[in-house]
Amino acid sequence: MEIQWLKAFLAIAERGSVSEGATQLHLTQPAVSKRLAALEQQLGAALFNRIGRRLQLTDAGRVLLPRARHILNEISDTERELRALSNSVSGSLRIATSHHVGLHHLPPVLREFSNRYPEVALDIDFLDSEQAYEALMAAKYELAVVTLALKEYPHLNAQVIWPDPCVVVAAPEHPLTKIPTLELADLADYPAILPDLNTYTGRLIKREFDAQGLKLSAKLATNFLETIKMMACVGLGWSVLPHTLVDESLAILPVKKLQVLRNLGVISHRGRTLSNAASALQQMLFEAAS
């Protein structure tokens, strides 16, 4: 059985179509279809059913999926361990990051990393932090640089790189800016524009309201902080944003008993050997934290 056949199968299973699987593998669609057909012929079983425009796993495909992931992970770990025996920092490095971290915190580190290790091919995907955690658990990335979870994951290492204090903000003409001493209950009287309440940042805010038995009125929800900032600037509601994003277009609202401190950092899988490239990038992130 060819390893490339398993990679094609896994990409199609994850993306739900041959074309998207081919895009993930940087191959043509006919090449991926050929690899899938060869795998199905060797196994003597169809691995996908076509339902509408999407492909769904057959019973045989569902049996193969976890085994294919395990086989490919073992091969990747073995390759990394062997490469780690040398001091060479090269090859490909696949990482995940959230939009906020990737746009506002990571660029200086990546610039220095690329200058120092030009033989490393960086492959960066932008994901919500929650998705990045799940993807790292599934061994899709070596590292993720994201908002850290509120709980510990036993199989993941998490290191704080940038503490990211947040403040309550609104447009300068918003009615809340006229209240001299703000309480959390005052915010509950007005609509908010916040990240989805299932995100780590959203949960931090909701936890404060729940503690006081207050209902949080989220008028609009988006996980892009730059979009939230724009909507708050034009007066569509109050919000909670990292202090680093606040400028003269927003007024900071000093709300009593509301402190939102999230941490941005790097996560890796405890059970996987990092490549030399991943170890080098992680060390540079640690240096950024000092």
Side-chain angles (χ1 to χ4, degrees), residues 16-251:
S17 77
V18 174
S19 60
E20 292 182 24
T23 299
Q24 178 177 312
L25 295 172
H26 307 291
L27 295 171
T28 64
Q29 185 171 334
V32 173
S33 295
K34 185 176 180 180
R35 293 179 183 186
L36 175 62
L39 179 60
E40 290 180 324
Q41 182 177 3
Q42 172 147 354
L43 295 175
L47 299 174
F48 293 98
N49 289 319
R50 181 174 293 279
I51 300 181
R53 300 180 63 182
R54 308 298 291 177
L55 294 178
Q56 292 190 1
L57 291 167
T58 62
D59 289 343
R62 282 190 288 271
V63 170
L64 177 61
L65 184 61
R67 289 169 171 78
R69 284 195 176 120
H70 177 73
I71 291 169
L72 293 175
N73 287 340
E74 285 293 311
I75 291 172
S76 295
D77 284 346
T78 301
E79 290 174 344
R80 276 192 294 272
E81 287 189 30
L82 292 175
R83 284 196 297 266
L85 295 175
S86 72
N87 293 322
S88 172
V89 180
S90 59
S92 61
L93 172 58
R94 193 176 186 205
I95 67 171
T97 188
S98 63
H99 286 83
H100 176 69
V101 176
L103 293 175
H104 297 281
H105 294 273
L106 201 51
V109 177
L110 293 181
R111 185 182 300 113
E112 176 62 24
F113 180 82
S114 296
N115 289 336
R116 193 180 300 182
Y117 306 109
E119 295 184 6
V120 176
L122 274 171
D123 186 357
I124 305 172
D125 286 342
F126 286 84
L127 303 175
D128 289 343
S129 298
E130 297 74 22
Q131 293 176 323
Y133 266 83
E134 294 303 317
L136 205 68
M137 289 289 293
K140 294 181 180 179
Y141 304 94
E142 286 199 69
L143 299 173
V145 190
V146 293
T147 302
L148 297 185
L150 305 183
K151 65 176 184 179
E152 289 189 6
Y153 283 70
H155 298 296
L156 299 179
N157 287 314
Q159 173 75 38
V160 177
I161 305 298
W162 301 284
D164 199 34
C166 298
V167 291
V168 184
V169 296
E173 65 275 10
H174 194 282
L176 285 169
T177 63
K178 308 301 188 293
I179 302 175
T181 304
L182 280 168
E183 303 284 348
L184 205 60
D186 296 315
L187 297 183
D189 292 333
Y190 293 89
I193 303 168
L194 299 170
D196 189 283
L197 297 182
N198 289 321
T199 64
Y200 299 142
T201 304
R203 290 176 200 167
L204 278 171
I205 299 166
K206 188 174 185 298
R207 187 169 65 186
E208 298 293 332
F209 276 76
D210 289 346
Q212 296 192 31
L214 296 171
K215 184 178 179 181
L216 183 58
S217 175
K219 180 180 180 183
L220 296 167
T222 173
N223 295 344
F224 295 100
L225 297 184
E226 288 73 15
T227 304
I228 291 176
K229 176 182 176 181
M230 179 276 293
M231 291 192 288
C233 286
V234 299
L236 297 182
W238 62 269
S239 188
V240 176
L241 290 172
H243 201 288
T244 52
L245 281 185
V246 179
D247 55 28
E248 66 278 357
S249 65
L250 290 167

